[in-house]
Amino acid sequence: MEQIKQLRQYGFVIRQLVSREIKRKYTRSYLGILWSVLNPLMSMAVMSMVFSTMFQRVENYSVYFLTGNIIWQLFTGATNAAMASLVDNKSLLIKVKLPKVIFPLSRVGAAFVNFLYTFIAYLLMLVVFRIKPSVTMLFFPVVALFLLLFCIGISYLLSIIYVFFGDIKHLYSVLLTLWMYCSAIFYPVDSTPEFVQRMILENPVYNFIACARNCMIYQTLPSFGQLLRMVIWGLGCYAIGRIVFAEFQNRIMQEL
């Protein structure tokens, strides 16, 4: 409840920070935010050319890949940007008394805005590849909501750790590479050995990807197990991140 009050009170500040992050990302770019639409399209074209012949048995492989990719890009874009949010805004933290939580939130918010633009490209691909509209597609915002909560929780943790341990930025980059290959973004899970399949199924990011593919491509609702894991990972990670952030936020200025 306290955080909700803070968000309402400083909503204007958060919107300005989100706007600043988006403008800064596309500064000196002629196409600007249009890259959020073009990027996934070009990425999909490259990956389709490389892997479509390898995974011919995957129906609508291009959409299969793009569904996983937009989920992955939201997760990595949000957490990578939020990691340095407190350190990057050191001068603002010193000059103005603002809740520290709004800085990682603004970075996640900017990543989510980019995700919405990317989603436009995704919808265009559904039309191009003749994926019929289905009522199950209305469940996608629920998947996006819990993914957003998961991203916020991880962002809280990373932003705090980065203040005390700057090398986490490089370690996280290595972790993301491994995490990506364990998320079955561009290959079917059943093409891997059994022990790898078990590891993938326990991967929270893959669970969000699988839920999104079910409701958007296969036009079925996620299984009860997938739904349960989605809720647990989303709410659980958010709660843990918020608790850790609240515990250490008063020590941030000493380290900065």
Side-chain angles (χ1 to χ4, degrees), residues 25 71-82 107-108 111 155 176:
K25 180 176 181 179
I71 297 293
W72 177 254
Q73 291 301 322
L74 171 57
F75 171 67
T76 56
T79 54
N80 266 322
R107 295 284 177 92
V108 175
S155 296
L176 282 180

Side-chain angles (χ1 to χ4, degrees), residues 227-242:
L227 289 173
L228 184 61
R229 286 192 293 270
M230 184 175 69
V231 172
I232 291 175
W233 278 113
L235 293 179
C237 192
Y238 174 83
I240 293 172
R242 188 69 186 94

Side-chain angles (χ1 to χ4, degrees), residues 189-205:
V189 178
D190 56 11
S191 67
T192 61
E194 186 177 344
F195 77 94
V196 177
Q197 291 183 30
R198 288 198 298 268
M199 182 171 61
I200 292 172
L201 292 175
E202 295 302 321
N203 177 355
V205 176

Side-chain angles (χ1 to χ4, degrees), residues 47 83 93 142 147 150 159 179 183 224:
M47 295 298 287
M83 186 190 309
L93 282 168
V142 178
L147 173 62
F150 180 73
S159 63
W179 204 335
S183 297
F224 177 77

Side-chain angles (χ1 to χ4, degrees), residues 74 78-79 81-82 103-113 148 151-152 155:
L74 171 57
T79 54
F103 295 102
L105 277 179
S106 65
R107 295 284 177 92
V108 175
F112 189 70
V113 170
L148 187 62
C151 291
I152 293 173
S155 296

Side-chain angles (χ1 to χ4, degrees), residues 50 52 95 137 149 152 195:
V50 174
S52 57
K95 295 176 183 177
M137 293 180 176
L149 290 174
I152 293 173
F195 77 94

